[in-house]
Amino acid sequence: MAEIRRSDIHKPKKKRKRIIRWFMLPLLLVLVSVVAYGAHLYSQAETVMKDSYQPVDRDSKRASVNPFEENISVLFIGVDDSSKRKFDSNSRTDALMLATFNKDEKSVKLLSIPRDSYVYIPDKGFYDKINHAHAYGGVEYTLETVENLLDIPVDYYVKMNFDAFIDVVDALNGIEVDVPYTFTEQDSRDRAGAITLEEGVQTLNGEEALALARTRKLDNDIERGKRQQEIIKAVIKKAANVKSLTNYTSVIEAIGSNMTTDLRFEEMTSFIDYAVAGTKMNSETLNLEGADSRINGVYYYQLDEVALEETKTKLQKHLGLTSETDLVTEPETDNSTVTDAGAESSPSY
């Protein structure tokens, strides 16, 4: 049986009273790989990526993986911080997306995890919103929580803020997306009504793409997750063409200053195969079904257990986890059990 890792228990982090919703770029690794393969930029990219390398002190849930030869999983963690907010390490996650990569198929599955999902947080021993795991114990707690939820090992993580997203989209000279409806949203500097987008297919710059990815005024987190997945696809399509990169230096600098990861630079280059696949790449977007609920007067997104099991099976098969020893094993938890997280200094809602 694979060893189950446990992070050291951390004290709950300082509460934050304000939620700033933003979008991360889960497949930035693809872009990094393309940029890194430019000979004249390789050395610069390698230096920047070394500065971003921050491994997490935790035991592996399965034997070490080789991203050049094996199927792997990467958790992309979007936190609601930026240079304007002084990169507050106590922030909650505003976006979580798990990507599984199948090496033989050259395929990717993207799973959006709603930020208000009511889940068990192993290192705290109670249920709470999944976005609170980061406030309790940073990347370590977030990884443990996602692994427990999905019953698969998370091999790597990439943590980003929205400064990087804006810079990358602008360096791509924008991305083409279909805006589902007309809306007005604040910009990255929190200026209300600064961005107005009309319904229809159009090319968006970084600020506009961020506004589309963060808004949920006219729908909900589930629909927002779907929009984010479509934006990701648009970025992949544009980034797959190296000629579309007009400002290599700004892209690399944005990545280095606004991202941390436990992927080494040489491991990032393994994603070049997916970048080369480009528009022919087999990608599937997944979402977690559920329903709105209130527990002790607090809003949560209650996951549908049957649909969750189906999603687990898809991810496990995509990673090639066919034996019990390959899978993550955790004590069984029941999402219908109500435990008052507020008694444990839960972050403010």
Side-chain angles (χ1 to χ4, degrees):
M1 187 68 67
E3 182 181 0
I4 305 301
R5 64 170 178 266
R6 283 287 183 271
S7 303
D8 292 335
I9 300 299
H10 295 273
K11 295 182 179 180
K13 303 269 186 172
K14 179 182 178 182
K15 297 180 182 179
R16 290 191 64 187
K17 296 182 178 179
R18 191 176 184 192
I19 302 174
I20 303 300
R21 295 177 176 84
W22 72 280
F23 174 56
M24 50 151 237
L25 177 58
L27 285 186
L28 186 61
L29 291 178
V30 176
L31 178 59
V32 174
S33 300
V34 176
V35 175
Y37 266 67
H40 60 297
L41 292 171
Y42 191 95
S43 178
Q44 180 185 359
E46 184 175 19
T47 299
V48 171
M49 289 303 104
K50 283 182 179 179
D51 293 337
S52 298
Y53 179 65
Q54 292 186 18
V56 177
D57 185 15
R58 60 174 189 153
D59 296 328
S60 177
K61 282 187 179 296
R62 65 172 175 174
S64 60
V65 294
N66 184 341
F68 291 93
E69 300 177 357
E70 301 176 64
N71 305 325
I72 64 170
S73 61
V74 182
L75 180 65
F76 296 89
I77 304 171
V79 291
D80 56 354
D81 65 8
S82 66
S83 56
K84 183 179 186 299
R85 297 171 184 84
K86 300 180 180 180
F87 304 104
D88 188 352
S89 61
N90 298 332
S91 57
R92 291 169 290 181
T93 54
D94 191 65
L96 283 174
M97 190 170 293
L98 181 82
T100 58
F101 297 84
N102 186 288
K103 197 68 176 176
D104 294 332
E105 298 175 1
K106 294 295 182 292
S107 62
V108 180
K109 291 189 186 299
L110 295 173
L111 172 67
S112 292
I113 305 175
R115 65 193 304 277
D116 293 325
S117 296
Y118 185 62
V119 303
Y120 185 73
I121 301 179
D123 293 287
K124 297 300 294 182
F126 56 65
Y127 287 82
D128 204 343
K129 296 182 180 182
I130 196 167
N131 70 330
H132 288 175
H134 187 271
Y136 288 132
V139 172
E140 297 93 331
Y141 278 30
T142 302
L143 291 171
E144 292 286 347
T145 301
V146 172
E147 287 184 327
N148 181 75
L149 173 67
L150 299 175
D151 288 340
I152 62 170
V154 177
D155 300 311
Y156 300 101
Y157 84 90
V158 176
K159 176 180 170 181
M160 298 178 61
N161 63 47
F162 62 68
D163 284 349
F165 172 72
I166 293 174
D167 289 343
V168 169
V169 172
D170 285 340
L172 290 169
N173 285 331
I175 55 174
E176 185 176 277
V177 295
D178 187 2
V179 178
Y181 47 71
T182 299
F183 70 93
T184 298
E185 184 60 75
Q186 67 183 22
D187 63 9
S188 63
R189 296 184 180 181
D190 302 334
R191 294 179 296 190
I195 305 293
T196 297
L197 295 179
E198 301 292 332
E199 179 181 354
V201 177
Q202 55 200 282
T203 298
L204 305 182
N205 62 28
E207 282 282 2
E208 293 168 338
L210 176 65
L212 176 62
R214 76 197 298 189
T215 191
R216 60 175 182 175
K217 292 180 179 178
L218 302 182
D219 46 35
N220 52 43
D221 262 341
I222 302 304
E223 293 305 313
R224 186 177 73 153
K226 293 178 181 178
R227 286 197 302 276
Q228 291 174 355
Q229 290 170 330
E230 291 305 310
I231 292 173
I232 291 166
K233 291 180 181 179
V235 172
I236 295 172
K237 182 177 180 180
K238 195 74 176 286
N241 180 4
V242 178
K243 293 180 181 179
S244 70
L245 294 176
T246 59
N247 193 338
Y248 297 94
T249 302
S250 64
V251 172
I252 294 173
E253 290 177 350
I255 294 169
S257 61
N258 296 297
M259 182 185 83
T260 60
T261 180
D262 58 352
L263 274 161
R264 293 183 174 85
F265 178 76
E266 59 270 20
E267 293 172 330
M268 287 185 179
T269 61
S270 68
F271 291 86
I272 190 66
D273 289 339
Y274 296 94
V276 171
T279 57
K280 297 180 180 179
M281 179 177 59
N282 179 16
S283 63
E284 180 183 5
T285 55
L286 305 174
N287 294 280
L288 293 177
E289 296 181 15
D292 298 340
S293 68
R294 285 195 172 273
I295 300 174
N296 297 332
V298 177
Y299 170 79
Y300 295 94
Y301 183 70
Q302 193 85 39
L303 299 177
D304 181 278
E305 291 297 326
V306 174
L308 177 59
E309 289 303 318
E310 293 175 353
T311 300
K312 290 180 183 179
T313 299
K314 284 185 179 181
L315 295 175
Q316 291 164 359
K317 288 182 178 180
H318 194 236
L319 288 173
L321 304 177
T322 57
S323 67
E324 291 185 0
T325 56
D326 290 327
L327 304 180
V328 174
T329 56
E330 295 283 354
E332 291 188 2
T333 56
D334 179 5
N335 276 358
S336 64
T337 302
V338 177
T339 301
D340 186 3
E344 297 290 341
S345 300
S346 172
S348 58
Y349 295 93

